[in-house]
Amino acid sequence: MRPSRGETIAVLLSDRIIRGEIAPGERLPSEAELAIEFRASRPVIREALQRLQTLGYVRTRTGAGSYALTPPSLSEGDDWLSARGPAERAELHTFRTAIEQEAAALAARTRTESQLAEIDDAIDQFLPAVLPADTVEADFAFHQAVAAASGNRFIVEAVDRIGARAIVVPASRIASAERRGDGISIVAAEHAAVADAIRGRDPVAAAAAMRAHLFASVTRLGTGRP
């Protein structure tokens, strides 16, 4: 059976999300813009967006549009950190947690003042972020800064290769301004807890704070809470 027009458009848009042309948290073009681009009717575009939402590529909020989520599957050839499907995404998150909690512990032992300043700067950039895509960029910058402060080039490489696609985009980042602000404050507080432990040169607390933050981020994605 040939795919419907809506299914075909959904595949084309999902490819853009997977390739990073539409970043996690970025707003997709409007229905009207997509209708013009694909020379399709609005109902067909709605079918495509609904399919993308069902597959986990986007989250749609009435009156605000559709926003890309962290891609549920990746097709980057030899990228050994690609995750295809829920089971592999869970494995990738476990790997990421192991790597990043060790990065935080190492950073607490070896960080320099300039590296600590980079971590603090990433937190400062995250707080005023408004657009979902901006929050993803600032969020990832924080994790990169912690990895850099670890002083381990393999950890830095692993975090870079996992990339911003690992930053989950919960409903709170694609919600009303008030609820989005609550969600940003919660994540910023979690980042600050990691930074404070690194500042205090407490590797056990730094690892625990990073592990708690990553666990909370996945919990937020599953529950839709801030």
Side-chain angles (χ1 to χ4, degrees), residues 4-10 12-13 30-49:
S4 68
R5 180 71 169 139
E7 290 172 333
T8 300
I9 293 172
L12 293 172
L13 290 172
S30 67
E31 285 185 7
E33 291 169 329
L34 290 173
I36 293 172
E37 176 182 353
F38 291 105
R39 298 182 181 180
S41 66
R42 295 283 283 271
V44 167
I45 296 300
R46 291 191 193 103
E47 176 193 343
L49 294 175

Side-chain angles (χ1 to χ4, degrees), residues 31 34 36 85 93 98 105 114 117 119 135 167-168 177 202 210:
E31 285 185 7
L34 290 173
I36 293 172
H93 182 264
S114 63
I119 294 172
T135 69
I167 303 298
V168 298
D202 186 336
M210 180 63 82

Side-chain angles (χ1 to χ4, degrees), residues 9 18 46 59 71 75 82 95 102 126 130 149 199 204 208:
I9 293 172
I18 291 170
R46 291 191 193 103
R59 189 185 303 279
S75 55
S82 293
F95 173 77
E102 182 61 19
F126 182 74
V130 176
R199 182 176 291 103
V204 174

Side-chain angles (χ1 to χ4, degrees), residues 169-181:
V169 185
S172 59
R173 294 199 192 175
I174 310 171
S176 66
E178 181 180 358
R179 188 169 183 226
R180 184 166 61 243

